[in-house]
Amino acid sequence: MSTTTEQITETSKADTEHHHGPAKGMSRWFFTTNHKDIGTMYLWFSLAMFMTGGCMALMVRAELFQPGLQFIEPDFFNQMTTMHGLIMVFGAVMPAFVGLANWMIPMMIGAPDMALPRLNNWSFWILPFAFSIMLMTLFMDGGGPNFGWTFYAPLSTTFAPPSVTYFIFAVHMMGISSIMGAINVIVTILNMRAPGMIMMKLPLFVWTWLITAFLLILVMPILAGLVTMMLMDIHFSTSFFSAAGGGDPVLFQHIFWFFGHPEVYIMILPAFGIVSEIIPTFARKKLFGYSSMVYATSSIAFLSFIVWAHHMFTVGIPLMGELFFMFATMLIAVPTGVKVFNWVATMFRGSMTFETPMLFSIAFVVLFSIGGFSGLMLAIAPADFQYHDTYFVVAHFHYVLVPGSVFSIMAGVYYWLPKWTGNYYDERMGKIHFWLSFVGINITFFPMHFVGLAGMPRRVPDYALQFADFNAISSVGAFLFGFSQLLFIYNVVSCIRKRNQASNRVWEGSHGLEWTLTSPPPYHSFTTPPKVD
Amino acid sequence: MTKNVYFSVKKQLRLFAQLWVIVLLFAVSKANADWQLNMREGVTEISRAVYDLHMVIFWICVAIAVVVFGVMLFSVIYHRKSRGAKAHNFHENVFVEIAWTVIPMVILIGMAIPATGTLIKMYDSRESDLDIQITGYQWKWRYQYLESGVDFFSSLATPMAQIKGEEPKGEHYLLEVDNPLVIPVGKKIRFLITANDVIHSWWVPDFAVKKDAIPGFINESWTVVEEPGIYRGQCAELCGKDHGFMPIVVEVKSQPDYDAWVKQQQLAQLEKAKSAEKRWSLDELMTTGEAVYLKSCAACHQASGEGIPGAFPALKGSAIVQGDPAAHIDIVLNGKPGTAMQAFIDQLSAVELAAVITYERNAWGDSLGDIISPSQIAKLQQ
């Protein structure tokens, strides 16, 4: 195998010299159809949104540092929580995964580029416009969306600020972008694999993304339908969600969560993939159960479509419905458990080293599991009556999204950065970034379990005195986590600029086609397909 | 590795497990109210059943965590390259895979059975002794006793000065209301929960009752409270600007105290109706009107009457306020469909309505000098 891959690297090098490289100046970025350029833009965009959404979270935490209203008014507080959620979900986490998919999928399956390069350009360039529209609403009369990222009707229709129409338009644009991105991923994976790269040899990151892409195609149109129904209610006198006109506010929640629950897995399945790449590399040992990982991912994807009403245990669905959704939700613990057990079994009797990507991955496994445990608790419907819409839920989903999705993205960036740039990042600074983030998020989110159980509802700008101490601690943690991300940015930027030549393998234990390319890889990844045996 | 190493490994693992248990025991102790860490057990049979479920699933999670994280920590400590560990290249083991699929399944089934039992009990709202309709409004609760006809609104009693930090905060900051819900002890109370505008959620942790209040729907829930006392909760569903400021207070009284309270409420309602017949002066109406305005109108239209541009219209200088009184009365009594403007016809008494409309027409330098009389409103209310 090694001789073949070396030859291939040589040929791809030769090919780049003959081929055109990137265009000069700004037009490179506007008109590019190159998967790496587009991936880079996705990642920078995601970082910008991560910092924007982060600033909003810090405003929320500043207000909640003490009881009473200190800095911002309740209505603006609601706008901040809403925008923080929308931006982190649609602007930070999802584009970051698409960026990683763009960079890595062609390189991992032995393709020169994505299958649909022009579509690729378009799906990225929609995003800056969509988010400009969304952020613009903050400066309009009546302010931006203030109805929570779940935008339940009728608060988001009859009782919404006038800017809600812009919000609807922005969501439509994000949906178009996601659907096109997903189509591109599916077409690329199904058609552009190198000879010998059968499905059951695909790297797990590619597998999880393939399943994620199907989820995206299935649910983004539902979200589009939902916001269109809102638009009709607001401007064209329909009453889909207005009881006064014979409509049904609960219908909104059913549709939203039929989109929303698979959406949650859209934000975690690629994370599973990234971690499944990184742990074997640094444990210097094959992933324990490759095929069971694939089956577990598929089961999670299937289950995600039949559990949506566990977000709605308190809306008054009939007993039988409540029981069905409780059982189905508990079932998710099984394939998720299989994944965690597989990662642990991979580490067991390995030969581990703890570079920054591995640190983030280990933290992912532990802290995501904690989020999984609180998820299992939330699945118990009678207990959910106490947990629902409290800070316990806030703690739960931040544990799966921050040390879950966000840590996996950071792990992936550290892991592949030397491949992308051809330079090693500063390992010491990476480790400091990890430890500050790890301590920061735990200080922020762990106390939220306590205040939630003690009875603090979510989405409130002010709270009773008994919650004061833990809220103060949470706020301190949030600022620590937020500011430690500046280290990450500094490390990435200096890694791009400095010269600290990385080898082609980059890591001692790395496996897979992407490591057979040069660091940085040629502009068109594999111009002649490698042979996989 | 030698035997010795393994022994110390065991020792360390045990130490680690003990440490976890200590940390978690600390986590569930309820020594200090300000550092309350766990769910309240509450004062009903259901709330205790829910608490038990919560604790069982919590300890199951802890047990799984100790095993999984224990193995992981063991590997992190002993299977590291710097200690000279060599990777054992084993993978794919069908037996192990089946085991870690089946064992969690069994645990889950064990958990589902008691949860199902409790849920069935929670859904059985038949044969109630007392029915109370609860309606969520932006941002207050209305309680209507279907049997005795008692009907009132309940809103936040914490003064704005405490919220703004101009006064020290009281003991029940944000968890106090003007008129609490009053129920008798030991009786099965059925709550019929709905909403007037957006979705709210009625939650009292000590009863383990949380049910969404949805416009156009009537949800059912019930409770039997075993000890008299005052129990506090909050709206749990984001319902707009003042979602954080619509608490719930339930006073549970003994049966005789409760009966006396019902009598007194009924008398007070008669009293209120009578006072509409009296002749009110402009000054009297202005004083009452200002109080009503601050309580029922200022959240949106602001104390200055200037509203919030783009969200809530200004009353100061508005065409409706300065124009024909009939139009002004109409919008206050019947609201404006499709907007946040509620119909106040049932929410306020004739006196309160007359006073607040009079106040709006004469405050903020608009001084039209006209008086809206309570008797005029009382006629419209019939």
Side-chain angles (χ1 to χ4, degrees):
Chain A
M1 166 137 186
S2 63
T3 44
T4 357
T5 40
E6 262 162 40
Q7 281 166 358
I8 287 147
T9 323
E10 285 308 305
T11 33
S12 51
K13 246 185 203 164
D15 275 358
T16 359
E17 277 152 29
H18 296 299
H19 268 76
H20 59 88
K24 295 274 173 291
M26 281 311 285
S27 62
R28 167 177 181 182
W29 302 106
F30 287 129
F31 305 126
T32 184
T33 53
N34 181 279
H35 74 102
K36 298 189 188 75
D37 286 351
I38 294 171
T40 304
M41 289 195 294
Y42 263 112
L43 288 168
W44 280 117
F45 176 78
S46 153
L47 184 66
M49 285 297 118
F50 181 62
M51 297 314 281
T52 312
C55 289
M56 292 171 176
L58 290 187
M59 262 191 255
V60 167
R61 280 318 322 172
E63 178 55 52
L64 291 174
F65 180 63
Q66 283 189 321
L69 294 177
Q70 277 80 231
F71 305 108
I72 53 179
E73 289 298 312
D75 189 57
F76 188 68
F77 180 91
N78 288 344
Q79 292 175 40
M80 287 296 100
T81 52
T82 304
M83 286 298 235
H84 163 72
L86 290 167
I87 284 179
M88 287 306 196
V89 168
F90 295 103
V93 173
M94 289 172 70
F97 282 137
V98 182
L100 292 172
N102 254 300
W103 256 101
M104 299 318 298
I105 289 176
M107 280 160 59
M108 284 177 152
I109 64 172
D113 203 309
M114 296 292 277
L116 306 165
R118 283 172 212 279
L119 195 76
N120 206 4
N121 172 294
W122 194 29
S123 31
F124 171 74
W125 275 108
I126 285 175
L127 286 181
F129 294 95
F131 281 89
S132 305
I133 291 172
M134 183 118 108
L135 286 167
M136 222 161 66
T137 59
L138 288 174
F139 304 100
M140 294 178 182
D141 263 3
N146 56 6
F147 28 68
W149 87 275
T150 52
F151 54 102
Y152 281 3
L155 189 61
S156 63
T157 53
T158 317
F159 296 83
S163 66
V164 66
T165 310
Y166 290 84
F167 156 80
I168 290 173
F169 190 47
V171 171
H172 267 306
M173 289 169 75
M174 290 167 210
I176 293 171
S177 162
S178 293
I179 292 170
M180 291 192 305
I183 290 174
N184 210 349
V185 166
I186 293 174
V187 176
T188 306
I189 296 172
L190 294 186
N191 294 293
M192 296 187 61
R193 280 168 289 132
M197 179 64 88
I198 55 168
M199 291 303 275
M200 287 314 273
K201 271 190 188 164
L202 283 180
L204 264 173
F205 177 68
V206 180
W207 250 120
T208 51
W209 238 111
L210 180 66
I211 294 167
T212 304
F214 276 105
L215 289 184
L216 275 168
I217 289 187
L218 286 167
V219 301
M220 290 315 278
I222 295 168
L223 177 67
L226 180 67
V227 292
T228 309
M229 287 159 93
M230 281 172 64
L231 190 74
M232 301 299 272
D233 268 13
I234 294 166
H235 293 293
F236 303 104
S237 310
T238 57
S239 305
F240 289 109
F241 309 127
S242 153
D248 180 351
V250 179
L251 174 68
F252 178 96
Q253 297 183 26
H254 281 295
I255 303 176
F256 180 83
W257 287 114
F258 192 79
F259 145 79
H261 201 79
E263 166 70 20
V264 184
Y265 292 146
I266 287 166
M267 291 189 287
I268 201 66
L269 294 185
F272 291 163
I274 294 169
V275 170
S276 304
E277 298 295 327
I278 293 174
I279 289 178
T281 298
F282 295 98
R284 290 167 183 75
K285 189 162 156 268
K286 251 180 125 161
L287 191 71
F288 180 79
Y290 172 88
S291 43
S292 75
M293 282 298 224
V294 173
Y295 301 139
T297 312
S298 316
S299 322
I300 293 175
F302 168 74
L303 288 173
S304 76
F305 282 98
I306 56 164
V307 295
W308 77 89
H310 68 220
H311 298 271
M312 306 161 54
F313 277 149
T314 61
V315 302
I317 37 183
L319 179 62
M320 280 303 145
E322 201 100 339
L323 287 175
F324 170 80
F325 286 108
M326 174 168 81
F327 298 150
T329 305
M330 289 170 82
L331 214 52
I332 294 178
V334 176
T336 314
V338 168
K339 286 191 157 291
V340 174
F341 300 145
N342 265 307
W343 290 319
V344 174
T346 307
M347 287 186 243
F348 190 72
R349 302 210 132 188
S351 168
M352 277 194 271
T353 50
F354 303 94
E355 287 85 349
T356 312
M358 184 62 162
L359 289 175
F360 273 105
S361 299
I362 292 175
F364 170 93
V365 176
V366 175
L367 301 179
F368 173 79
S369 299
I370 292 179
F373 289 136
S374 53
L376 186 56
M377 296 171 79
L378 284 157
I380 310 293
D384 181 73
F385 290 133
Q386 293 285 50
Y387 308 137
H388 183 78
D389 267 331
T390 68
Y391 260 83
F392 190 78
V393 176
V394 179
H396 159 71
F397 68 73
H398 279 95
Y399 259 89
V400 291
L401 276 176
V402 185
S405 309
V406 173
F407 270 25
S408 82
I409 291 163
M410 283 169 177
V413 169
Y414 280 118
Y415 183 56
W416 287 308
L417 199 57
K419 171 55 65 185
W420 298 339
T421 60
N423 304 313
Y424 282 109
Y425 58 88
D426 185 335
E427 188 62 55
R428 218 169 73 94
M429 200 187 293
K431 282 184 176 155
I432 296 172
H433 169 230
F434 166 75
W435 284 109
L436 288 177
S437 300
F438 180 82
V439 171
I441 68 114
N442 280 299
I443 295 178
T444 312
F445 299 118
F446 210 79
M448 289 185 183
H449 291 112
F450 304 139
V451 284
L453 291 175
M456 179 166 162
R458 62 191 282 211
R459 295 166 165 167
V460 290
D462 195 2
Y463 48 83
L465 302 180
Q466 78 224 45
F467 309 127
D469 299 319
F470 283 127
N471 269 292
I473 294 174
S474 277
S475 293
V476 171
F479 278 85
L480 176 64
F481 176 67
F483 280 95
S484 55
Q485 301 320 307
L486 296 175
L487 272 182
F488 175 63
I489 298 177
Y490 181 80
N491 208 348
V492 170
V493 171
S494 56
C495 175
I496 294 169
R497 294 175 141 203
K498 78 179 169 203
R499 294 274 159 261
N500 180 10
Q501 183 59 46
S503 67
N504 291 358
R505 280 289 292 278
V506 179
W507 310 107
E508 191 187 48
S510 54
H511 285 283
L513 287 177
E514 74 267 36
W515 309 107
T516 64
L517 292 170
T518 51
S519 300
Y523 199 55
H524 300 285
S525 303
F526 286 97
T527 37
T528 41
K531 234 182 107 57
V532 183
D533 31 40
Chain B
M1 268 183 261
T2 61
K3 246 186 179 169
N4 215 351
V5 173
Y6 264 110
F7 180 69
S8 70
V9 167
K10 260 188 190 165
K11 233 177 166 180
Q12 286 186 28
L13 257 181
R14 200 175 310 142
L15 237 162
F16 177 71
Q18 281 164 350
L19 207 81
W20 257 98
V21 171
I22 292 166
V23 167
L24 290 162
L25 279 179
F26 171 72
V28 292
S29 76
K30 299 180 288 180
N32 190 327
D34 280 357
W35 296 94
Q36 188 193 334
L37 298 164
N38 202 359
M39 186 188 280
R40 276 177 274 187
E41 262 191 272
V43 290
T44 68
E45 189 199 331
I46 292 290
S47 76
R48 273 191 294 270
V50 166
Y51 177 81
D52 290 342
L53 278 175
H54 160 70
M55 289 319 287
V56 170
I57 187 78
F58 171 72
W59 285 114
I60 289 176
C61 288
V62 170
I64 299 172
V66 168
V67 174
V68 175
F69 298 160
V71 174
M72 198 168 151
L73 195 78
F74 176 82
S75 314
V76 166
I77 294 170
Y78 292 101
H79 303 152
R80 52 169 67 212
K81 200 185 173 200
S82 56
R83 286 178 80 118
K86 292 265 179 303
H88 290 58
N89 223 347
F90 59 87
H91 59 94
E92 312 271 344
N93 181 322
V94 179
F95 174 75
V96 173
E97 308 263 6
I98 289 175
W100 67 35
T101 310
V102 172
I103 295 170
M105 275 298 280
V106 174
I107 297 174
L108 288 176
I109 292 169
M111 200 53 230
I113 293 166
T116 304
T118 307
L119 196 64
I120 290 172
K121 263 193 232 157
M122 289 174 112
Y123 263 72
D124 183 7
S125 58
R126 286 169 303 174
E127 291 170 19
S128 59
D129 300 312
L130 184 63
D131 300 311
I132 300 172
Q133 184 183 328
I134 299 174
T135 312
Y137 284 73
Q138 280 183 325
W139 296 285
K140 58 200 159 220
W141 296 99
R142 180 185 195 173
Y143 300 115
Q144 288 163 288
Y145 292 63
L146 299 189
E147 284 86 1
S148 59
V150 173
D151 176 0
F152 59 89
F153 282 80
S154 173
S155 44
L156 180 75
T158 304
M160 207 54 206
Q162 285 190 17
I163 296 170
K164 293 272 182 207
E166 291 147 8
E167 276 176 21
K169 297 183 185 6
E171 190 194 346
H172 298 299
Y173 176 70
L174 293 191
L175 296 178
E176 50 199 348
V177 296
D178 49 2
N179 307 306
L181 173 70
V182 177
I183 57 172
V185 75
K187 288 280 161 65
K188 184 164 183 174
I189 320 285
R190 188 165 61 138
F191 302 117
L192 303 164
I193 303 170
T194 184
N196 182 56
D197 34 48
V198 299
I199 300 174
H200 304 266
S201 189
W202 198 81
W203 178 34
V204 179
D206 282 316
F207 305 166
V209 170
K210 183 188 281 147
K211 221 21 170 262
D212 288 359
I214 304 170
F217 281 76
I218 295 180
N219 273 329
E220 283 187 6
S221 193
W222 64 272
T223 192
V224 178
V225 186
E226 289 156 9
E227 308 160 33
I230 294 176
Y231 304 100
R232 295 165 200 278
Q234 277 178 276
C235 175
E237 181 65 61
L238 178 64
C239 56
K241 183 168 80 67
D242 286 347
H243 161 57
F245 304 93
M246 51 182 292
I248 295 151
V249 178
V250 184
E251 234 183 293
V252 180
K253 292 185 191 248
S254 66
Q255 189 67 44
D257 286 357
Y258 170 75
D259 292 336
W261 176 83
V262 170
K263 280 261 158 56
Q264 183 207 331
Q265 290 297 308
Q266 286 166 333
L267 274 178
Q269 270 173 356
L270 282 177
E271 206 59 36
K272 239 184 190 172
K274 254 191 218 153
S275 72
E277 288 155 23
K278 168 190 144 188
R279 186 169 288 278
W280 288 68
S281 75
L282 180 62
D283 280 350
E284 282 171 327
L285 285 173
M286 285 297 282
T287 321
T288 314
E290 186 175 9
V292 176
Y293 182 83
L294 291 176
K295 201 179 119 188
S296 299
C297 315
C300 298
H301 296 295
Q302 306 298 302
S304 63
E306 282 160 356
I308 297 175
F312 305 113
L315 298 184
K316 187 177 175 180
S318 113
I320 293 176
V321 172
Q322 294 190 332
D324 179 16
H328 190 180
I329 293 171
D330 178 62
I331 198 167
V332 174
L333 263 59
N334 302 316
K336 192 172 173 189
T339 70
M341 181 63 194
Q342 307 168 1
F344 284 90
I345 190 160
D346 294 330
Q347 295 194 38
L348 300 172
S349 71
V351 174
E352 287 168 328
L353 283 166
V356 81
I357 297 169
T358 308
Y359 175 76
E360 286 171 359
R361 297 180 77 78
N362 293 288
W364 317 306
D366 291 345
S367 300
L368 300 176
D370 46 0
I371 293 181
I372 310 295
S373 75
S375 56
Q376 190 182 343
I377 302 290
K379 262 179 226 144
L380 292 170
Q381 273 182 321
Q382 277 153 17

